[in-house]
């Protein structure tokens, strides 16, 4: 006879292994209390058996457990809705299920009716909310759509808003039959058996070490960063084997209550899946909720939050009111900023896609700890060695060295000792540990990405995403409307679909690439404007009335230029978003994922260039092409290019990075949380003034959620973009600003709780969606990691004075030829790095107004400037010296050696770190092994059962096995 589990084999055979998931809550996953023991018989001959027979091993255990389900008939009223019957707070049911349930004689739960999460009967949970206005002219489309919704088996109720009678809320509920049907179609994996654990074999030596470690841990605080599972029992995990849901073999799944078997996120995802496939008009393309939202038929569509996030009672004494309250207390509250995130709860409430974002953000923040510690160590090393730095000592003592003016006419001569403070500040960031830190950060970026792959693999295993594959995406409505006349057969589905010609696609990509190039040119033009501002303003500040600004004209110029640059960056970001949106729509991507990837790449490219263009200018171009006194290079033969400070250009780069990083992160945090807070506060204020405080608290949940802010139109794009740009700041110019990882760490600690608070309290509940990884952002992170190696090599070699000091110590200093490079070898470096200029050789438009008589009582004959040039009375006046060519050759050699060395280390680390952790690989292999053994046991039990039945029927068989 046919095996009773043969029908279930189809669903199970789609997977190669049975993976595990974390608990969906004790109320969702209730397991059989009978202990399951599987006796492994290695002597059994291993024969090929159907995979579906795996469940036969549990037949004897499940025989005492009978789960009966009422077969409910989803008979819905076919009549269309009559909006004239709607009043404030009046519920109008369009399903017959409510009346049928009341006939049963069960008492309607008053609590469910009061919390606004259920239908009028208090039993049918609201799975999805649609919102529209009665004044909207798209009535016919909406009526057809709602009739088709009821035809799919969904139950519906309508209610008018308490604050605006024109707003109608459509409440949708999916009965058990609909959930089971579409869960099977969508291959939703559900738990069907407890996971079997096994103990690793431990050696005596390892056991002794573990005992010693446990004794040492007894003196330490008991994991203060861990969430307290005793006081928060909802955090307990029950790992179970999962399989695609099947209605035919429903008795094999762990079902304690059919109303809570599918959690709320899964229920809303199933309802959304149905709504995306329901027609609203006759026609091939007239289908789906997204089109109705885009044409204004519906104003909003969202799943409900699970009640209020606040409670009068303490969660430690009375427990959590709901999952939203639990998330607020153990995740979004500022009091738990130092604790780990409850990622399983986040995944259960918001879905895998949002859970993966917070998992990545938490991992990135955790990996910033060693980078921030080393960066702080480099900075403190500079502080501790400041008094022993020979270069800064010589600068501070150089009262007899007079520097040439840094701008035309109005800038005076100045003593080199006047830049003593700037020389000391420069040493804080540019010291002997800078090169080590740059190498460390390049390696850190690789380690971060490689270990994230391992972490993602563990999360994918725990969240049951190993064997999950994205469904074939639907074609975008805009693509269908544009290319509906041209069709070809889809090679996967075998159905005709719109087709975009290759020539049309190429022409659109060329136009899009031209638009990207044009916008990059706009960025360069903005940077050029900032350069002109710096050139013009430094002369203005040098002639300023206030002595504080006049004496620090270059610092004032840099500071104001950075602030203006930040304002330009924020204004251009708004323009870039519109341009990127236009160019992406111009390309006509076929699916939503293609559209998202194209838009993401453009926005990242625009914002990255916009944010870092001025930084690149200061790092690699400022003061490099200015010429020399008497022969300055000029813009449009008018404005003299800006020079670096006598202490070097690194101080300008530090100011640029510090100000931009702090201002950008502060602005982003305000826009992410402050703007929604202000909007929600204003909405609550209007409701309080109109209806009073008591009436406002009695609003149903759908009314409260509707008054919240919707999630960004681009999903998690803004959150990822902010962190990716920060990652670029943290790695690309980290050699010039070692405190960047520390600032990023402090920001991210706040960012995690800000985002959590925003998702839990300020935004409507987003639709739970699945994802296996962070998508295109991983490739962008890898590109930034490669770029960071190159930029840090150039920052050390070109921007900082590391190479000139090294060349002087080994070739021209007191220790030349001795193989030493200590501080004693740097004596005389400042004088050797400055060239001499004859004041009488100044151009007429560059000649300063003062003659420098305030320094020595007589007009100056010579001044000094930063460069390696011959003196004015040499055979070739102001020509490059041999030391200049030695420094240039050393810089080029350093760049080549540094890049090759770091890239080799990065590739070696990538090769040595496997993508899957060993324990995870062992767990997966162990599961496969147990599955095989369970299959053999199931086959053996089946044959023994058949043998007993044959004996009972009086039939004799020869050579029976076993």
């Amino acid at each position: 006879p046919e095996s009773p589990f043969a029908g279930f084999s189809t669903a199970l055979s789609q997977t190669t292994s049975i993976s595990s998931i974390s608990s969906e809550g004790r109320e969702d996953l209730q397991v059989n209390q009978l202990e399951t023991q599987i006796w492994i018989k290695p002597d059994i001959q291993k024969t090929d058996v159907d995979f579906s027979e795996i469940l036969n091993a549990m037949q004897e255990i499940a025989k005492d457990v009978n789960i009966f389900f009422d077969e409910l008939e989803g008979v819905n009223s076919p009549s269309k809705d009559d909006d004239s019957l709607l009043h404030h707070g009046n519920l109008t049911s369009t399903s017959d299920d409510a009346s049928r349930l009341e006939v049963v004689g069960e008492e309607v739960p008053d609590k469910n009716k009061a919390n606004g999460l259920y239908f009028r009967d208090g039993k049918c949970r609201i799975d999805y909310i649609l919102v529209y206005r009665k004044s909207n002219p798209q009535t016919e489309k909406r009526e057809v759509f709602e009739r088709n919704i009821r035809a799919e088996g969904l139950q519906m109720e309508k209610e008018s808003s308490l604050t605006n009678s024109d707003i109608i809320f459509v409440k949708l509920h999916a009965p058990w039959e609909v959930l089971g049907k579409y869960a099977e179609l969508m291959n939703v994996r559900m738990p069907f058996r407890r996971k079997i654990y096994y103990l690793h074999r431990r050696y005596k030596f390892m056991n002794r070490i573990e005992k010693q470690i446990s004794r040492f841990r007894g003196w330490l605080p008991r994991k203060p960063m861990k969430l307290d599972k005793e006081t928060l029992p909802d955090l307990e995990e029950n790992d179970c084997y999962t399989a695609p849901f099947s209605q035919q073999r429903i008795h094999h799944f762990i079902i304690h209550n059919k109303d809570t078997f599918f959690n709320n996120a899964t229920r809303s995802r199933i309802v959304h899946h149905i709504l995306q496939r329901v027609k609203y008009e006759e026609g091939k393309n007239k289908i789906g909720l997204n089109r109705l939202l885009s044409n204004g038929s519906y104003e909003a569509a969202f799943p409900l939050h699970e009640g209020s996030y606040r409670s009068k009672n303490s969660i430690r004494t009375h427990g959590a009111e709901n999952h939203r309250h639990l998330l607020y207390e153990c995740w979004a509250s500022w009091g738990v900023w130092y604790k780990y995130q409850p990622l399983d709860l986040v995944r259960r409430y918001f879905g895998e896609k949002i859970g993966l974002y917070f998992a990545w953000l938490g991992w990135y923040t955790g990996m910033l700890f060693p980078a921030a510690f080393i960066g702080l160590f480099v900075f403190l090393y500079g502080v501790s060695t400041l008094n022993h730095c020979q270069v800064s000592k010589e600068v501070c003592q150089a009262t007899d060295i007079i520097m040439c003016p840094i701008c035309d006419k109005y800038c005076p001569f100045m003593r080199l000792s006047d830049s003593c403070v700037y020389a000391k500040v420069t040493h804080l960031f540019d010291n002997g540990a800078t090169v080590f830190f740059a190498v460390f950060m390049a390696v850190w970026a690789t380690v971060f990405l490689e270990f994230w792959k391992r972490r993602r693999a563990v999360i994918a295993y725990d969240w049951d995403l190993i064997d999950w594959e994205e469904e074939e995406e639907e074609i975008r409505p805009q693509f269908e409307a544009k290319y509906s006349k041209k069709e070809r057969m889809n090679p996967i589905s075998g159905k005709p679909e719109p087709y975009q010609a290759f020539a049309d696609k190429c022409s659109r990509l060329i136009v899009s690439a031209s638009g990207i190039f044009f916008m990059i040119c706009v960025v360069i033009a903005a940077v050029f404007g900032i350069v002109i501002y710096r050139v013009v303003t430094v002369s203005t500040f040098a002639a300023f009335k206030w002595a504080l600004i006049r004496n620090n004209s270059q610092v004032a110029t840099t500071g104001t230029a950075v602030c203006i640059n930040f304002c330009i960056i924020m204004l251009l970001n708004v323009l870039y978003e519109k341009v990127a949106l236009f160019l992406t729509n111009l390309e006509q991507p076929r699916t939503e994922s293609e559209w998202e990837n194209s838009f993401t790449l453009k926005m990242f490219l625009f914002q990255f260039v916009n944010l870092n263009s001025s930084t690149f200018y200061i790092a690699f171009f400022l003061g490099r092409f200015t010429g020399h006194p008497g022969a300055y290079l000029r813009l449009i033969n008018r404005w003299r290019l800006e020079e670096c400070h006598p202490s070097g250009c690194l101080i300008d780069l530090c100011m640029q990075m510090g100000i931009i990083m702090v201002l950008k992160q502060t602005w982003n945090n305000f826009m992410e949380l402050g703007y929604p807070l202000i909007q929600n506060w204003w909405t609550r204020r209007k409701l309080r003034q109109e209806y009073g405080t008591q009436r406002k608290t009695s609003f149903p949940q759908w009314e409260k959620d509707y008054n919240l802010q919707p999630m960004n139109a681009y999903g998690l794009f803004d959150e990822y973009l902010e962190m990716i740009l920060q990652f670029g700041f943290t790695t690309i110019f980290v050699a010039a600003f070692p405190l960047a990882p520390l600032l990023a760490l402090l920001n991210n600690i706040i960012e995690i709780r800000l985002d959590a608070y925003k998702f839990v309290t300020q935004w409507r509940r987003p639709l739970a969606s699945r994802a296996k990884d962070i998508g295109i952002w991983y490739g962008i992170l890898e590109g930034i990691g490669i770029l960071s190696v190159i930029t840090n090599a150039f920052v050390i070699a070109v921007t900082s004075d590391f190479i000139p000091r090294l060349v002087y110590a080994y070739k021209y200093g007191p220790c030349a030829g001795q193989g030493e490079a200590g501080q004693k070898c740097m004596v005389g470096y400042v004088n050797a790095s400055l060239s001499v200029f004859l004041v009488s050789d100044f151009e007429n438009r560059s000649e300063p107004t003062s003659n420098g008589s305030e320094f020595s009582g007589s007009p100056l004959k010579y001044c000094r400037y930063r460069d390696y040039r011959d003196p004015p009375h040499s055979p070739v006046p102001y020509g490059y010296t041999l030391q200049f060519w030695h420094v240039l050759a050393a810089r080029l050699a350093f760049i080549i050696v540094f890049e090759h060395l770091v890239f080799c280390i990065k590739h070696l680390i990538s090769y040595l770190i496997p993508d899957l952790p060993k324990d995870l690989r062992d767990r997966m292999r162990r599961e496969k092994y147990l599955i095989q053994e369970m299959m053999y046991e199931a086959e053996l039990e089946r044959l023994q059962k058949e043998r007993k039945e044959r004996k009972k029927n009086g039939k004799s068989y020869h050579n029976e096995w076993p």
Side-chain angles (χ1 to χ4, degrees):
E2 183 181 358
S3 170
F5 305 99
F8 199 40
S9 62
T10 304
L12 289 179
S13 60
Q14 296 176 1
T15 59
T16 57
S17 65
I18 298 180
S19 50
S20 64
I21 64 170
S22 298
S23 170
E24 298 296 337
R26 290 184 298 177
E27 71 278 14
D28 295 339
L29 300 181
Q30 296 292 335
V31 294
N32 198 335
Q33 296 186 6
L34 297 175
E35 293 294 331
T36 303
Q37 296 181 355
I38 297 180
W39 301 98
I40 308 299
K41 297 184 178 181
D43 56 329
I44 295 179
Q45 182 181 1
K46 305 212 170 13
T47 58
D48 294 331
V49 207
D50 184 24
F51 189 75
S52 65
E53 299 301 328
I54 179 179
L55 298 175
N56 281 330
M58 297 182 292
Q59 187 177 13
E60 295 299 326
I61 300 169
K63 66 183 179 181
D64 295 328
V65 182
N66 296 320
I67 302 175
F68 297 98
F69 299 99
D70 296 329
E71 298 182 359
L72 300 177
E73 297 288 341
V75 181
N76 298 305
S77 174
S79 61
K80 66 181 182 181
D81 307 322
D82 187 2
D83 290 342
S84 63
L85 298 176
L86 294 171
H87 302 284
H88 287 292
N90 180 30
L91 297 175
T92 303
S93 176
T94 62
S95 68
D96 294 332
D97 188 72
S99 60
R100 186 175 59 80
L101 286 174
E102 291 177 1
V103 175
V104 179
E106 296 181 0
E107 186 177 347
V108 178
D110 295 333
K111 183 179 179 181
N112 291 347
K113 293 167 61 177
N115 60 18
L117 299 175
Y118 290 81
F119 276 17
R120 186 179 183 182
D121 58 15
K123 296 181 180 180
C124 296
R125 188 177 187 91
I126 300 174
D127 297 321
Y128 213 80
I129 292 289
L130 302 178
V131 186
Y132 70 90
R133 293 182 180 269
K134 288 193 294 185
S135 58
N136 189 282
Q138 306 282 354
T139 305
E140 185 177 355
K141 294 180 181 179
R142 201 163 48 243
E143 290 175 352
V144 174
F145 185 71
E146 291 173 3
R147 282 202 301 267
N148 292 333
I149 287 176
R150 291 193 296 271
E152 290 290 337
L154 295 180
Q155 298 172 13
M156 183 187 304
E157 278 186 355
K158 287 189 177 182
E159 183 169 351
S160 59
S161 173
L162 296 175
T163 60
N164 188 350
S165 60
D166 189 44
I167 297 177
I168 306 299
F169 294 97
V170 181
K171 300 175 286 184
L172 301 177
H173 168 74
W176 173 261
E177 294 80 7
V178 177
L179 292 173
K181 172 186 174 183
Y182 281 94
E184 188 170 359
L185 291 175
M186 296 169 63
N187 286 328
V188 177
R189 300 182 69 90
M190 302 303 293
F192 76 93
R193 184 174 181 174
R194 269 191 183 274
K195 192 172 180 183
I196 300 172
Y197 294 94
Y198 69 99
L199 296 176
H200 294 277
R201 183 178 178 183
R202 299 288 186 182
Y203 296 97
K204 293 182 179 180
F205 177 73
M206 296 299 297
N207 289 333
R208 292 174 183 173
I209 294 179
E210 289 182 356
K211 289 180 180 180
Q212 296 297 329
I213 294 176
S214 62
R215 290 179 181 176
F216 175 73
R217 287 178 177 174
W219 297 91
L220 300 177
R222 295 189 177 276
K223 299 180 180 179
M225 300 178 70
K226 291 280 188 180
L227 292 167
D228 190 359
K229 294 185 179 181
E230 294 181 359
T231 57
L232 301 177
D234 292 87
L235 296 181
E236 293 179 1
E237 297 180 1
N238 293 323
D239 293 338
C240 296
Y241 292 114
T242 63
F245 183 76
S246 173
Q247 288 183 305
Q248 295 180 351
R249 304 304 167 206
I250 197 173
H251 53 281
H252 290 293
F253 290 91
I254 304 172
I255 305 176
H256 177 70
N257 186 349
K258 62 183 179 63
D259 293 330
T260 58
F261 177 62
F262 296 103
N263 60 29
N264 295 329
T266 304
R267 295 174 68 100
S268 62
R269 185 157 56 93
I270 292 175
V271 173
H272 182 79
H273 177 86
I274 297 172
L275 297 179
Q276 290 297 91
R277 287 155 179 79
V278 173
K279 285 191 173 185
Y280 60 87
E281 271 185 3
E282 291 299 328
K284 182 175 57 176
N285 301 327
K286 308 298 183 180
I287 184 175
L289 176 63
N290 286 347
R291 289 180 174 87
L292 291 176
L293 289 171
S294 61
N295 64 26
S297 298
Y298 287 101
E299 190 172 293
F302 53 89
L304 284 181
H305 279 295
E306 298 180 7
S308 175
Y309 63 89
R310 293 185 183 274
S311 176
K312 298 179 180 179
N313 302 319
S314 172
I315 191 175
R316 298 186 179 275
T317 57
H318 293 74
E321 298 287 340
N322 50 65
H323 288 157
R324 188 186 186 194
H325 179 215
L326 182 62
L327 279 173
Y328 177 77
E329 292 292 340
C330 68
W331 182 48
S333 176
W334 293 106
V336 293
W337 65 269
Y338 59 93
K339 291 184 178 292
Y340 292 125
Q341 299 183 85
L343 294 177
D344 288 331
L345 282 178
V346 177
R347 173 246 183 172
R348 180 171 63 188
Y349 195 82
F350 292 109
E352 286 80 3
K353 193 171 186 178
I354 295 177
L356 271 173
Y357 162 71
F358 282 103
W360 176 84
L361 180 58
W363 183 257
Y364 171 46
T365 304
M367 289 293 291
L368 279 173
F369 274 96
F373 176 78
I374 299 297
L376 183 62
F377 171 78
V378 171
F379 179 78
L380 295 178
Y381 174 80
V383 173
S384 62
T385 58
L386 185 60
N387 296 328
H388 306 285
C389 179
Q390 181 64 30
V391 176
S392 59
K393 282 182 180 180
E394 291 185 359
V395 171
C396 295
Q397 296 171 1
T399 56
D400 56 339
I401 297 180
I402 309 301
M403 302 298 295
C404 298
I406 59 176
C407 67
D408 294 337
K409 292 187 178 181
Y410 299 107
C411 291
F413 295 97
M414 58 180 296
R415 286 188 175 92
L416 180 60
S417 58
D418 294 341
S419 61
C420 174
V421 175
Y422 303 113
K424 292 181 177 180
V425 173
T426 301
H427 176 74
L428 299 180
F429 301 100
D430 184 17
N431 50 65
T434 304
V435 178
F436 160 76
F437 186 60
V439 176
F440 170 81
M441 287 303 297
V443 174
W444 173 87
T446 302
V447 172
F448 162 67
L449 293 177
E450 292 300 320
F451 276 93
W452 163 247
K453 286 194 292 186
R454 294 164 58 88
R455 173 63 176 160
R456 188 206 64 83
V458 174
I459 292 175
Y461 175 81
D462 290 338
W463 290 358
D464 207 18
L465 298 171
I466 293 292
D467 298 319
W468 179 79
E469 295 293 339
E470 294 186 14
E471 299 178 1
E472 185 181 1
E473 290 190 76
E474 295 180 356
I475 298 176
R476 296 178 65 243
Q478 296 84 348
F479 185 88
E480 287 182 335
K482 180 70 176 177
Y483 300 103
S484 59
K485 296 181 180 179
K486 297 181 181 179
E487 292 185 346
R488 72 172 183 179
M489 298 297 294
N490 188 309
I492 299 175
S493 64
K495 298 179 181 179
E497 66 178 16
Y499 168 68
Q500 183 182 17
F502 180 76
D504 180 75
K505 186 175 183 178
C506 288
S507 61
R508 291 178 178 275
L509 288 176
I510 291 173
V511 174
S512 178
S514 302
I516 294 173
F517 179 75
F518 172 76
M519 293 308 299
I520 292 177
C521 293
V522 171
V523 176
I524 296 175
V527 175
F528 186 75
I530 296 295
V531 171
I532 294 178
Y533 169 82
R534 295 171 68 107
V535 170
V536 174
T537 310
V538 68
S539 300
T540 304
F541 282 152
F544 212 74
K545 295 180 180 180
W546 296 349
L548 179 64
I549 296 179
R550 185 173 62 250
N551 297 334
N552 299 277
S553 59
Q554 197 163 15
V555 176
T557 301
T558 301
T560 55
V562 171
C563 294
I564 294 174
N565 183 33
F566 174 75
C567 296
I568 294 176
I569 287 172
M570 302 311 296
L571 291 175
L572 287 180
N573 282 345
V574 179
L575 175 63
Y576 291 156
E577 182 176 348
K578 298 184 181 299
V579 172
L581 188 63
F582 172 77
L583 293 178
T584 306
N585 290 331
L586 181 66
E587 293 178 4
Q588 290 292 347
R590 178 177 172 273
T591 62
E592 286 296 334
S593 64
E594 292 178 4
W595 188 94
E596 289 180 3
N597 290 339
S598 178
F599 179 76
T600 297
L601 194 59
K602 290 182 182 61
M603 279 297 294
F604 168 76
L605 186 61
F606 287 158
Q607 294 215 18
F608 180 81
V609 174
N610 186 30
L611 191 64
N612 293 283
S613 53
S614 296
T615 311
F616 271 90
Y617 164 75
I618 293 175
F620 305 129
F621 298 98
L622 178 62
R624 307 286 172 231
F625 309 100
T626 58
H628 62 87
Y632 287 116
L633 298 178
R634 298 178 181 272
L635 287 175
I636 322 176
N637 198 28
R638 181 178 179 181
W639 292 301
R640 170 182 162 184
L641 291 175
E642 186 182 7
E643 293 185 34
C644 291
H645 196 274
S647 298
C649 294
L650 199 66
I651 187 67
D652 295 325
L653 185 58
C654 291
M655 289 183 61
Q656 173 80 13
M657 290 192 62
I659 295 176
I660 290 293
M661 194 168 185
V662 172
L663 289 180
K664 187 76 166 59
Q665 293 179 347
T666 304
W667 176 260
N668 286 338
N669 290 336
F670 169 76
M671 291 302 296
E672 283 186 6
L673 184 62
Y675 184 66
L677 273 175
I678 294 173
Q679 285 186 316
N680 291 333
W681 170 81
W682 183 254
T683 302
R684 291 194 301 269
R685 182 176 180 272
K686 290 193 300 183
L687 294 176
R688 192 182 303 111
Q689 290 178 349
E690 187 172 355
Y691 299 98
T693 306
Q694 298 298 328
R695 183 69 181 275
K696 176 183 171 296
T697 56
S698 63
F699 284 167
Q701 188 64 41
W702 56 82
E703 191 95 29
K704 295 178 182 177
D705 287 5
Y706 178 70
N707 291 326
L708 296 177
Q709 298 301 309
M711 189 177 177
N712 294 334
Y714 309 124
L716 293 169
F717 169 79
D718 290 336
E719 278 71 24
Y720 273 117
L721 180 63
E722 178 188 357
M723 289 296 103
I724 299 302
L725 292 176
Q726 184 205 83
F727 179 80
F729 251 89
T730 306
T731 55
I732 292 179
F733 294 103
V734 72
F737 192 59
L739 294 179
L742 180 61
L743 293 179
L745 173 63
L746 297 177
N747 174 79
N748 286 8
I749 293 175
I750 301 174
E751 181 75 21
I752 291 177
R753 305 305 162 180
L754 279 180
D755 286 347
Y757 185 83
K758 176 177 61 180
F759 271 93
V760 174
T761 68
Q762 301 302 310
W763 279 1
R764 297 172 189 164
R765 185 176 183 176
L767 180 70
S769 56
R770 309 198 83 190
K772 294 183 68 172
D773 49 34
I774 61 176
I776 194 175
W777 296 109
Y778 185 83
I780 294 175
L781 287 171
E782 286 187 324
I784 292 176
I786 295 173
L787 180 63
S788 66
V789 177
I790 301 173
T791 54
N792 282 305
F794 275 90
V795 166
I796 296 173
V798 178
T799 310
S800 74
D801 289 337
F802 175 76
I803 298 300
R805 293 174 186 174
L806 209 61
V807 171
Y808 178 81
Y810 284 101
K811 184 67 177 177
Y812 297 96
C815 304
Q818 300 179 12
E820 298 181 10
Q823 291 297 326
K824 63 179 182 179
C825 301
M826 298 303 298
V827 176
Y829 167 75
V830 173
N831 185 61
S833 63
L834 299 176
S835 300
V836 180
F837 177 73
L838 186 63
V839 174
S840 59
D841 291 341
F842 267 122
E843 300 172 300
N844 291 332
R845 53 182 174 178
S846 299
E847 188 173 358
T849 54
S850 64
N851 57 8
S853 58
E854 64 271 16
F855 296 105
S856 59
S858 59
L860 285 176
K861 293 184 179 180
Y862 299 97
C863 64
R864 308 292 292 272
Y865 61 98
R866 282 174 58 91
D867 209 343
Y868 296 100
R869 293 182 180 271
D870 292 323
H873 302 295
S874 62
V876 183
Y878 308 117
Y880 287 118
T881 62
L882 183 62
Q883 187 174 357
F884 169 83
W885 299 109
H886 284 164
V887 171
L888 180 62
R891 282 173 169 167
L892 295 177
F894 175 83
I895 291 173
I896 295 173
V897 173
F898 182 89
E899 288 182 355
H900 283 71
L901 176 64
V902 175
F903 277 130
C904 288
I905 295 175
K906 286 170 68 71
H907 285 91
L908 180 63
I909 292 175
S910 300
Y911 175 77
L912 293 178
I913 299 178
D915 292 344
L916 286 178
K918 184 178 182 303
D919 58 341
L920 177 60
R921 189 183 297 109
D922 292 341
R923 287 164 63 188
M924 295 173 66
R925 291 175 179 175
R926 175 68 175 175
E927 285 188 6
K928 291 181 180 180
Y929 171 76
L930 290 177
I931 289 170
Q932 287 182 340
E933 297 294 339
M934 291 163 65
M935 290 167 59
Y936 302 141
E937 291 289 329
E939 176 66 11
L940 179 59
E941 291 181 6
R942 185 182 67 83
L943 293 175
Q944 290 177 345
K945 185 177 180 180
E946 290 179 1
R947 180 180 180 181
K948 292 179 180 179
E949 290 180 355
R950 291 165 185 166
K951 288 183 176 180
K952 184 178 180 181
N953 296 333
K955 297 181 180 180
S956 60
Y957 291 86
H958 300 285
N959 300 326
E960 291 184 357
W961 184 86

